[in-house]
Amino acid sequence: MSGRLIEGVHVGWDNIRQCFSLDPAVSHLNHGAYGAVPIAVQRAQQRFRAEMESNPMRFFRSDLTERIAHTRRHLATFLGADPEGAALVPNATSGAAIVLRSLGLRPGDEVLTTDHGYGAVGLAVQRECRLTGATTRTLAVPLQATDEEIVGIVRAGLRPGRTRLLVVDQLTSPTARLFPATAIVAAAREHGVPVLVDAAHAPGMLATPVDAVGADFWVGNLHKWAYTPRGTALLVVAPAWRERIEPLVVSWLQEQGFPPRVEWQATQDYTGWLAAPTGLHVLRTLGPERVREHNAALVAYGQRVVAEALGLAPADLPQPGGPGVSMRLVPLPTGVATTTDAAVALHRLISDRLAAEVAVVGWQGRGWLRLCGQVYNYADEYDRLADGLPGVLAAAH
């Protein structure tokens, strides 16, 4: 049997589905939403939880901060980031909120976003602008825009002296589009505009190091595509900004500066962070490049067969904008799932009738199906979705 024994679980390509505790009666085709934690990683976290509960005083009062720092160094190295310029945070949205709060926005300032941004980050931008008197502006970027066109739209939208922050996604959540983040950051720097890159889906899926992007702020989740426990993300901050970063909640390590003041949040459960290196170990055991190639090829197949079932031609299908992207969009019929409520209702219908978990997104007045590919998926799961989806859509319409 190929593979390696990790936390008592044999991890290898010959038994890949058995490495996860997913319900085998369901087709899990939306890994990008919440990820799926391998059994080996679950067991590692359980071991840390047992340690914590056996003696909470010792667990929290001994060397916990150094153990957290060890995880941070491990994850930062994996991502190509400076460990001293990074901080563990619960998720990308939390990291974005920390950056927004630390900017010191004032009336007359502007935060610039695109219409491909993640909804919760958009809400965080709106809240901070409302509290500070700043304003927010959203740039419309066509779904099939080229990289050059995207950079041009962003460059034209910058207002030097007024735009205090540009928020751009590295890989968009609602539209599964790889943005030219490095070129966007370079264009913004020409005009002195700092950039926050929302890279929620990048760790594990994309091989591009953080440092190559060169953003002032970069935040990515590792619990989506890097197999760590949920609630594991890394906020990376350029040197010029580190001393200005403030946590959303002040705790006992506030005076130690960044990153401890951000990471230490009193009695939160840190066991997921401690187990995170095991998730990266699983990914390395499987082979990161092999995983990326497998996932991207599988979801491309899924996009094609589902699209064919809906009578769509290849020209109708949005492309992700780069190799290795493990998420694809399929446009739904006109008038279907165009609103958030309608998208939620259709998701439930697909889940109940087809035993398949997918993402249904209402974006720019049209409904979209977002599919993901992961090592535990098989081609026949997309085939079954394709066979049953037309009937479900007819019932929903």
Side-chain angles (χ1 to χ4, degrees):
M1 179 181 289
S2 61
R4 296 182 62 183
L5 193 68
I6 301 176
E7 294 292 331
V9 177
H10 201 282
V11 176
W13 283 89
D14 55 353
N15 69 331
I16 196 69
R17 186 66 180 256
Q18 288 70 43
C19 294
F20 296 84
S21 53
L22 295 165
D23 183 351
V26 176
S27 297
H28 302 273
L29 307 178
N30 188 22
H31 184 89
Y34 302 104
V37 183
I39 294 172
V41 183
Q42 294 179 41
R43 290 184 179 175
Q45 186 174 8
Q46 289 166 358
R47 177 168 56 83
F48 286 119
R49 279 187 174 141
E51 177 191 350
M52 176 174 64
E53 297 304 337
S54 70
N55 191 334
M57 180 68 84
R58 175 175 294 177
F59 180 84
F60 282 96
R61 289 291 183 91
S62 57
D63 59 350
L64 181 55
T65 56
E66 177 51 36
R67 296 169 80 179
I68 293 170
H70 170 77
T71 290
R72 183 210 319 135
R73 290 191 290 267
H74 195 100
L75 302 189
T77 300
F78 171 76
L79 294 171
D82 176 7
E84 299 309 310
L88 287 160
V89 293
N91 49 52
T93 308
S94 298
I98 289 170
V99 171
L100 288 164
R101 182 61 54 87
S102 302
L103 282 176
L105 294 173
R106 297 175 296 181
D109 291 340
E110 172 189 84
V111 178
L112 187 62
T113 64
T114 79
D115 57 356
H116 293 250
Y118 186 60
V121 172
L123 291 173
V125 170
Q126 292 173 24
R127 184 193 68 170
E128 197 62 30
C129 288
R130 184 174 64 250
L131 293 175
T132 60
T135 60
T136 180
R137 187 163 49 91
T138 302
L139 298 175
V141 178
L143 186 59
Q144 296 287 48
T146 66
D147 285 356
E148 293 76 14
E149 290 170 341
I150 295 172
V151 174
I153 290 169
V154 172
R155 180 183 282 112
L158 297 171
R159 295 174 178 172
R162 181 173 180 181
T163 305
R164 286 288 309 283
L165 183 70
L166 168 65
V167 182
V168 67
D169 293 64
Q170 192 164 14
L171 178 61
T172 66
S173 178
T175 56
R177 177 65 199 267
L178 182 65
F179 268 28
T182 302
I184 291 173
V185 169
R189 180 165 291 116
E190 293 173 3
H191 298 282
V193 176
V195 182
L196 164 61
V197 172
D198 181 351
H201 290 273
M205 188 197 297
L206 303 180
T208 304
V210 175
D211 285 352
V213 177
D216 301 87
F217 314 99
W218 182 101
V219 60
N221 294 326
L222 288 100
H223 56 255
K224 291 182 181 289
W225 301 94
Y227 302 144
T228 71
R230 293 177 193 87
T232 306
L234 201 70
L235 171 64
V236 182
V237 180
W241 291 94
R242 291 172 190 171
E243 290 307 310
R244 297 175 58 178
I245 295 297
E246 293 287 346
L248 299 178
V249 178
V250 173
S251 195
W252 284 102
L253 299 189
Q254 175 68 17
E255 299 306 316
Q256 292 192 19
F258 182 86
R261 65 164 52 140
V262 169
E263 293 175 333
W264 186 257
Q265 293 293 298
T267 52
Q268 77 173 29
D269 186 348
Y270 299 99
T271 59
W273 291 357
L274 300 184
T278 304
L280 297 189
H281 189 28
V282 169
L283 180 59
R284 290 190 176 104
T285 298
L286 295 174
E289 190 57 36
R290 185 180 180 186
V291 168
R292 293 184 192 108
E293 291 176 356
H294 169 276
N295 293 350
L298 187 60
V299 75
Y301 170 82
Q303 181 193 42
R304 178 173 61 80
V305 297
V306 171
E308 289 174 353
L310 299 182
L312 299 169
D316 300 323
L317 304 180
Q319 298 305 305
V325 177
S326 306
M327 304 192 299
R328 295 281 184 118
L329 285 189
V330 177
L332 293 171
T334 302
V336 174
T338 58
T339 67
T340 299
D341 289 344
V344 169
L346 180 58
H347 162 258
R348 289 175 179 168
L349 200 60
I350 294 172
S351 179
D352 293 342
R353 295 196 180 185
L354 303 181
E357 294 297 339
V358 298
V360 182
V361 180
W363 186 78
Q364 297 296 58
R366 180 156 193 178
W368 304 84
L369 196 70
R370 192 192 72 184
L371 300 174
C372 298
Q374 188 47 265
V375 294
Y376 51 72
N377 291 131
Y378 301 101
D380 60 2
E381 294 180 295
Y382 303 94
D383 295 336
R384 290 196 298 271
L385 175 65
D387 290 342
L389 187 59
V392 170
L393 292 177
H397 210 50

